[in-house]
């Protein structure tokens, strides 16, 4: 059977094909079809079911192109998988809303359905727990949501924190004052804020106290009003630390907790406060738990493959 897709614009055709036609080759390999370009129209040949799947995948990819998305291996494979399991309707809402715009004018949008659910949960709930592997955008999207709320005047402060737990290695006695000692632990949070605000604007907000980046120990005894509070690397909190953090929430505030339960750096005899919180708090009104997977990884496609291999080896 042959399916035909007319493509009006040459630019869309080139974006769809990808470098050395790699996007079309991926579709051909997945569905066992042949795709050729004839005078601006794609001809898809194969058995009936395969050509229908391939056509849907091409149309979904063209939809992303029309919305200004750049096709790469990660989102091409995402579309192929979603079409194959019949969940591609979720792509209709993907990337329609801009979460934030960086200092360089780059719009930050959800790139996977899992990320879209995470963003929606942050918008609708007072407390959101985002759990997933490295590269799924847990922290970056939370920071983007915080910056947007700050720019709109919905909150007065952004507070970013994480436990100062070493990732499987001893750093020893670091030189400098207390801020110098904790800076290495907080670097990922600094990087995200620099992207959103730019260095100069970010520094001004730090000096005014409207942005605070601090280790988790600094949160004890405080009540945080009118704030967007993000706890990163929460898998490395103790039970007591997690309860302490969650109960810092004041009036007109929002909390996002992020972590990767496969990268717990605590001693084996110390249970993770994040795991306990997920168990205890599931079902609490106003609190959402979002679980991202390797399918939501938006770093290099190799990161997705590595995480999937580790998951399968467990």
């Amino acid at each position: 059977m042959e399916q035909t897709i007319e493509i009006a614009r040459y630019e869309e055709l080139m974006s769809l094909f990808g470098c050395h036609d790699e996007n079309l080759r991926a579709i051909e390999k997945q569905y066992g079809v042949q795709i050729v370009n004839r005078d601006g129209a794609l001809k898809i040949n194969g058995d009936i079911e395969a050509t229908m799947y391939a056509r849907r995948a091409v149309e979904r990819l063209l939809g992303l192109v029309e919305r200004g998305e750049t096709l790469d291996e990660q989102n091409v494979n995402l579309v192929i998988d979603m079409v194959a399991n019949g969940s591609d309707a979720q792509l209709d809402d993907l990337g329609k809303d801009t979460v934030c715009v960086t200092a360089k004018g780059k719009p930050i949008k959800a790139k996977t359905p899992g990320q879209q659910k995470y963003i929606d949960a942050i918008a609708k709930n007072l407390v959101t727990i985002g759990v997933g592997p490295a590269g799924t955008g847990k922290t970056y999207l939370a920071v983007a949501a915080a910056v947007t709320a700050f720019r709109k005047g919905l909150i007065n402060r952004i507070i970013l924190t994480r436990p100062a737990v070493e990732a499987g290695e001893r750093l020893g006695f670091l030189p400098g004052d207390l801020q110098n000692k904790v800076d290495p632990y907080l670097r990922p949070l600094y990087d995200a804020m620099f992207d959103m605000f730019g260095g100069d604007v970010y520094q001004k907000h730090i000096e005014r106290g409207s942005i605070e980046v601090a280790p988790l120990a600094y949160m004890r005894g405080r009540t945080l009003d009118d704030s967007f509070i993000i706890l990163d690397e929460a898998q490395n909190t103790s039970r007591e630390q997690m309860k302490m953090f969650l109960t810092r929430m004041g009036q007109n505030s929002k909390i996002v907790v992020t972590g990767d339960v496969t990268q717990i750096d605590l001693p084996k005899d110390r249970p993770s406060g994040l795991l306990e919180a997920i168990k205890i708090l599931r079902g609490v009104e106003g609190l959402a738990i979002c679980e991202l997977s390797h399918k939501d990884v938006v770093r290099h496609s190799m990161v997705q493959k590595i995480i999937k291999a580790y998951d399968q080896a467990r």
Side-chain angles (χ1 to χ4, degrees), residues 69-116:
E69 298 292 328
T70 299
L71 300 185
D72 55 26
E73 182 180 0
Q74 195 269 343
N75 54 24
V76 169
N77 287 336
L78 172 69
V79 168
I80 289 173
D81 289 344
M82 293 182 72
V83 167
N85 61 36
S87 61
D88 54 298
Q90 297 178 44
L91 293 167
D92 291 337
D93 296 325
L94 189 61
K96 283 187 174 180
D97 298 323
T98 297
V99 182
C100 184
V101 177
T102 69
K104 295 182 178 179
K106 178 184 176 183
I108 305 301
K109 300 179 180 181
K111 294 185 177 180
T112 71
Q115 286 192 345
Q116 188 64 58

Side-chain angles (χ1 to χ4, degrees), residues 141-157:
L141 291 173
V143 171
V147 170
T148 294
F150 181 77
R151 287 173 174 168
K152 290 180 177 180
L154 301 177
I155 47 99
N156 295 329
R157 287 187 299 174

Side-chain angles (χ1 to χ4, degrees), residues 243-288:
K243 183 179 178 182
M244 177 274 291
F245 171 77
L246 291 173
T247 54
R248 298 309 92 201
M249 185 177 185
Q251 296 297 319
N252 190 39
S253 288
K254 188 183 287 280
I255 283 177
V256 178
V257 176
T258 71
D260 179 358
V261 296
T262 69
Q263 295 191 32
I264 297 173
D265 300 310
L266 296 170
K268 294 188 181 298
D269 61 342
R270 291 182 62 192
S272 168
L274 177 60
L275 287 174
E276 184 178 71
I278 292 171
K279 180 180 179 181
I280 292 173
L281 300 175
R282 195 179 294 275
V284 171
E285 185 178 356
L287 185 148

